Amino acid sequence: MISSAEFAQAITVAGIPLPSRTPLFLAILAVHVAAGLVAVATGLAAMLVPKRPRRHPRFGTAYYYALTVVALTMAVLAAIRWKDDRVLFALGVAAFAAAAVGRSAVRRRSHGWARLHIAGMGTSYTLLLVAFYVDNGAHLPLWRSLPAVSYWLVPTVVGGFLIARTLLTHPIAKSRVRMDW
């Protein structure tokens, strides 16, 4: 969180104060935000398209690579501002690790791969959103009127519900048949 003195000096974009004016920080942040937007869009697309060859795997792969860029830039940004961003670093590492587990499961196709894929990728997407709201929720319309714990709880509860529902209802997750696509 930035202090009121820093807030007065900060550059503000879409109502969100940026914690540094240095060109290196701003350049890394620009890449981070762009990759984050791609990750959110492609992750959502992967969730919504039919789970068949072509579109779902392509969107999923795009999500994974965008998340990789988000994680790398997050690590640099956290290193620059460790005291303020160490929690975001932990969320980013956890999001990337969950995506790596989900991607690995679909590539190996061992017993239970679909459930592990759904849980890993869903957890990754949920943690991506948690990190965004934890970092920016206090500056967003509607979110700023909620208590700070909401930035953690709302995406976690919604994401957890959707992951659980998918694990219980999706035909591929319920199937014991190996799906090779």
Side-chain angles (χ1 to χ4, degrees):
M1 211 63 180
I2 61 177
S3 70
S4 55
E6 290 172 316
F7 185 79
Q9 299 293 327
I11 298 171
T12 301
V13 177
I16 299 172
L18 306 182
S20 175
R21 292 174 165 251
T22 65
L24 176 62
F25 183 88
L26 294 175
I28 296 167
L29 183 63
V31 173
H32 180 75
V33 169
L37 290 171
V38 170
V40 168
T42 56
L44 184 61
M47 285 183 255
L48 296 177
V49 299
K51 308 308 179 257
R52 295 185 198 110
R54 295 187 69 204
R55 292 190 337 174
H56 176 73
R58 285 182 184 163
F59 282 126
T61 298
Y63 168 76
Y64 182 79
Y65 287 126
L67 185 67
T68 300
V69 173
V70 169
L72 291 171
T73 54
M74 167 277 308
V76 174
L77 292 170
I80 293 170
R81 302 184 65 242
W82 182 253
K83 181 181 172 192
D84 297 313
D85 291 347
R86 63 185 182 270
V87 170
L88 297 173
F89 178 81
L91 288 168
V93 168
F96 184 76
V101 167
R103 183 172 166 87
S104 176
V106 81
R107 289 177 164 278
R108 292 188 181 173
R109 306 275 184 181
S110 59
H111 179 72
W113 72 267
R115 289 176 203 82
L116 195 54
H117 175 69
I118 291 165
M121 299 310 272
T123 299
S124 171
Y125 194 84
T126 300
L127 289 170
L128 177 70
L129 294 179
V130 168
F132 172 77
Y133 288 118
V134 165
D135 193 33
N136 301 297
H139 306 290
L140 300 172
L142 176 67
W143 287 90
R144 68 175 153 236
S145 61
L146 299 173
V149 70
S150 300
Y151 311 150
W152 291 87
L153 289 179
V154 171
T156 301
V157 169
V158 171
F161 169 77
L162 293 173
I163 293 165
R165 191 191 81 181
T166 304
L167 289 170
L168 293 171
T169 63
H170 198 283
I172 295 172
K174 289 171 36 175
S175 171
R176 300 243 185 247
V177 177
R178 183 179 157 136
M179 304 292 288
D180 289 323
W181 35 267

